[in-house]
Amino acid sequence: QVQLVESGGGLVQPGGSLRLSCAASRIAFSLYTISWYRQAPGKQRELAASITSGGNTNYADSVKGRFTISRDNAKNTVYLQMNSLKPEDTAVYYCNAQWRTSYWGQGTQVTVSS
């Protein structure tokens, strides 16, 4: 069955860094646009970053310059490098794969707090 598994979340102090991973299986991974969404309690889900099959990237204004999305098609994995983290980055981060259909992971918690 199709799987998207996020990892790398945790507790980090403001200004710190984390790298999230999204590992996919049973998908023609290289054909998919992969996105990281995030959702904080009481807030709508928002797109943080995405990367297309051709490697084009897109970032929310709130994370641009701090986050970097990349993909390793040989490993069927997408990464989200998060630097200079702020408390407002606290959320559950979800991986999404979109081509002719859409798949979601279960999410990984990122908490930015002192």
Side-chain angles (χ1 to χ4, degrees):
Q1 189 172 19
V2 172
Q3 287 191 66
L4 296 175
V5 180
E6 302 98 332
S7 63
L11 175 64
V12 65
Q13 293 184 343
S17 297
L18 286 173
R19 189 178 76 158
L20 306 184
S21 298
C22 173
S25 61
R26 302 183 68 85
I27 300 175
F29 184 79
S30 63
L31 300 178
Y32 283 75
T33 292
I34 309 297
S35 300
W36 286 98
Y37 289 82
R38 64 185 187 180
Q39 187 168 30
K43 298 181 66 177
Q44 293 191 72
R45 183 181 61 189
E46 65 175 355
L47 177 65
S50 64
I51 183 165
T52 70
S53 62
N56 295 319
T57 59
N58 182 57
Y59 299 94
D61 288 342
S62 58
V63 309
K64 190 173 183 179
R66 299 187 298 119
F67 291 11
T68 303
I69 188 170
S70 61
R71 67 192 299 163
D72 186 340
N73 288 338
K75 296 182 178 180
N76 283 8
T77 300
V78 165
Y79 305 97
L80 185 67
Q81 179 67 47
M82 305 186 294
N83 299 325
S84 302
L85 283 162
K86 305 174 181 179
E88 53 262 44
D89 296 318
T90 296
V92 177
Y93 284 71
Y94 298 94
C95 182
N96 170 267
Q98 178 72 53
W99 185 42
R100 295 179 180 180
T101 187
S102 182
Y103 301 98
W104 291 89
Q106 294 300 307
T108 186
Q109 177 71 50
V110 172
T111 302
V112 184
S113 176
S114 59

